[in-house]
Amino acid sequence: MTLVAGIDSSTQSCKVSVRDLATGKEVRSGKAMHPTQTVVDPDVWWTALLEAVADAGGLEDVVAVSVSGQQHTPIFMDGRGFAVSPSPLWNDTGSHPHMVALNDELGRDEWIRRTGLPLTLSDTVVKLRWLRDTNPVAADRTEAVAVVHDWLTWRLMGYGPGTGGIEEFITDRSEASGTAYWSGDTGEYCVDLFELALGKIAHLPRILGPLDSAGTTGSGIPGVAPGIPIGVGSGDNAAAALALGLVEGETVLSLGTSGVVYARSSHTVHDFGGYVCSYADATGDHLPLVATLNAARNFDIGARILGCTHAQLSELALQAPPGSEGLTLLPFFEGERTPDLPHSRGSLLEASLTNFTRPNFARAVIEGTIASQVYMLDALEASNVPTSRLILIGGAAQSNAVQRVLSEMVSVPISVPESDEYVTKGAAMQAAAALDGGFPAWAMESETLPATTAQPEIGGQHAAAKLALGYVETVSKERSTV
């Protein structure tokens, strides 16, 4: 059996998946946790990778490896490869004022026009300004900037602190697209935007093509044989899209801690409404993406309040009628990104003595969460990225209530693929491409949900609730796109 390995260095952990090259089936795996802090020494990611490799039984027997991982998060290095500062994660909120400053200086619409990104505090360019403003000495020492996947690939190639070799950094289009100093229209870095943020020029990773090899593994890495081909790697959502075999017209809805909707597109998106991020995918196309802050963790809250399990929450929800007899939850518990309501909180509306029941509350939690995701599908549609088939993945994808409510709110076919670690699988496919220049055709089982009767009152209730609270609906067909 010939084996390849995919690595996912996510926000929470590092996962290693060793797979059969012929079938894509996982043979063994390993995992190591990352710290919970949002500003960390980047060495924690390398340590976790080595621990996950060991937990997976080592990689001495694989013929290729590739890394995917969290987007945006930078490592700032000097010319010898030493980190000059701890790294702020993509979800560290300390860079919010620096995002505001960059938007004020260049103009919100100009960022969208140049990069396809409505600038957020997650983007790498914002972290550059954070470094410049909070640690100008470190900013002055910075000679190279790479994101996590780039840096781990570089480490696997045998480089590291004190080795130099910053000119050997590589990346792919998907990771470059999340920096907000790269243009999907030209395929080139916007170096002036990098300089605007950091105040100087630094070395940026060379951007490789989807089927390229980054190089080979170096010697002396515990659990990793030297000379193994390394795939180009990608950002996490791009890797998952590759593993799912996403084609144009299909849209993925991922229900995890947050909600993410993304689609494959042959064209870039410039959403001046401010929601759709025009990322690149791992195939050479584009991956327009929209996200909510609140998703499956809403179900944690609902289950905790009702004193039940997630399975029981689903069962209770299915006992209630569509619309929960008017009971409506807007699940903006931690503020919201889509719609843009950073200071809002969750709201329960239209409760009465008759409709405030356990089943109705359980269904209101499910409906409120799904309504937020459907709102994101509308944002894609308004940006000329239509959906003809919806692919439901994530930790909540197997919930019967989630599947039912989603089927009642969208008119397109919905499929639920077999459970898998799609990011590591996508990375493993890139490892395979480093061997023979092509992605493997691995089979994947998928179930199409039965069609149900449309229940437009669910979406109507949520639109009315947002209107009642003064939230402005900004997703519309009239949104300006190019």
Side-chain angles (χ1 to χ4, degrees):
M1 181 184 297
T2 304
L3 303 176
V4 293
I7 299 173
D8 171 21
S9 183
S10 71
T11 309
Q12 294 85 13
S13 65
C14 184
K15 300 173 185 176
V16 174
S17 177
V18 178
R19 295 176 182 260
D20 178 7
L21 176 59
T23 65
K25 296 298 183 182
E26 187 172 81
V27 176
R28 61 182 192 267
S29 64
K31 182 178 180 179
M33 299 305 297
H34 290 154
T36 57
Q37 293 83 3
T38 58
V39 181
V40 302
D41 183 330
D43 275 337
V44 301
W45 296 313
W46 179 244
T47 299
L49 185 149
L50 295 179
E51 291 175 355
V53 165
D55 191 46
L59 301 183
E60 290 91 346
D61 56 347
V62 306
V63 297
V65 63
S66 192
V67 181
S68 185
Q70 56 178 291
Q71 284 192 272
H72 314 297
T73 301
I75 296 93
F76 311 107
M77 286 157 290
D78 65 17
R80 298 178 297 161
F82 286 103
V84 301
S85 163
S87 292
L89 271 65
W90 65 272
N91 60 346
D92 181 69
T93 58
S95 53
H96 183 268
H98 313 286
M99 174 201 74
V100 173
L102 287 172
N103 267 324
D104 288 345
E105 291 169 19
L106 187 67
R108 172 182 173 276
D109 285 2
E110 187 66 4
W111 285 104
I112 296 171
R113 187 187 71 80
R114 295 282 305 278
T115 71
L117 302 187
L119 204 61
T120 73
L121 61 82
S122 298
D123 300 320
T124 314
V125 75
V126 174
K127 309 303 182 182
L128 299 180
R129 175 55 64 87
W130 169 88
L131 184 69
R132 175 182 172 183
D133 289 349
T134 63
N135 194 342
V137 173
D140 188 60
R141 293 177 55 209
T142 298
E143 298 296 331
V145 177
V147 299
V148 175
H149 139 255
D150 311 337
W151 186 75
L152 290 175
T153 299
W154 184 70
R155 295 295 302 264
L156 283 173
M157 292 165 63
Y159 298 100
T163 66
I166 61 172
E167 68 281 354
E168 299 302 324
F169 275 109
I170 63 92
T171 194
D172 83 308
R173 293 170 64 258
S174 72
E175 292 283 38
S177 69
T179 63
Y181 45 82
W182 181 84
S183 168
D185 294 319
T186 67
E188 302 290 338
Y189 285 120
C190 304
V191 179
D192 61 317
L193 300 183
F194 181 97
E195 186 175 10
L196 172 68
L198 189 62
K200 59 176 290 186
I201 298 296
H203 182 79
L204 297 177
R206 182 165 51 96
I207 301 171
L208 299 183
L211 300 175
D212 288 339
S213 172
T216 59
T217 54
S219 59
I221 303 173
V224 181
I228 301 172
I230 305 173
V232 63
S234 65
D236 49 4
N237 291 309
L242 178 62
L244 290 164
L246 195 65
V247 299
E248 196 162 10
E250 295 179 335
T251 299
V252 174
L253 167 54
S254 177
L255 277 176
T257 301
S258 59
V260 181
V261 165
Y262 53 85
R264 183 169 175 175
S265 173
S266 59
H267 61 83
T268 58
V269 169
H270 298 264
D271 176 15
F272 294 100
Y275 294 131
V276 181
C277 297
S278 190
Y279 297 136
D281 76 352
T283 72
D285 274 344
H286 302 275
L287 198 73
L289 179 150
V290 200
T292 63
L293 299 178
N294 304 279
R297 59 181 173 177
N298 301 341
F299 307 150
D300 297 336
I301 295 171
R304 186 167 66 246
I305 290 174
L306 293 175
C308 65
T309 65
H310 281 234
Q312 291 167 334
L313 181 76
S314 178
E315 292 171 3
L316 279 169
L318 292 176
Q319 294 172 21
S324 308
E325 296 186 278
L327 191 66
T328 306
L329 176 70
L330 298 181
F332 307 148
F333 295 106
E334 296 295 329
E336 194 46 88
R337 173 174 169 174
T338 309
D340 185 21
L341 300 168
H343 305 299
S344 64
R345 290 295 180 262
S347 305
L348 189 66
L349 292 85
E350 299 298 324
S352 71
L353 292 175
T354 57
N355 74 2
F356 200 14
T357 65
R358 286 169 59 84
N360 280 338
F361 178 73
R363 183 165 182 122
V365 172
I366 303 293
E367 289 181 343
T369 303
I370 299 303
S372 290
Q373 315 312 309
V374 173
Y375 187 88
M376 295 196 293
L377 293 175
D378 293 341
L380 284 177
E381 181 81 26
S383 294
N384 194 27
V385 184
T387 297
S388 60
R389 177 171 173 259
L390 188 60
I391 302 172
L392 178 62
I393 64 172
Q398 301 302 320
S399 165
N400 291 331
V402 166
Q403 294 179 3
R404 172 69 67 81
V405 171
L406 183 60
S407 298
E408 292 169 346
M409 294 192 69
V410 301
S411 59
V412 298
I414 303 168
S415 64
V416 182
E418 60 185 337
S419 181
D420 205 337
E421 292 286 350
Y422 291 108
V423 178
T424 59
K425 184 177 182 180
M429 293 175 70
Q430 291 183 303
L435 287 176
D436 57 19
F439 296 126
W442 290 340
M444 180 182 66
E445 298 294 328
S446 185
E447 173 192 4
T448 299
L449 300 183
T452 59
T453 303
Q455 304 293 341
E457 68 270 25
I458 301 174
Q461 281 179 204
H462 285 265
K466 284 183 279 190
L467 183 62
L469 291 181
Y471 300 151
V472 178
E473 292 286 333
T474 55
V475 173
S476 70
K477 293 295 184 181
E478 289 73 38
R479 172 176 291 174
S480 175
T481 61
V482 295

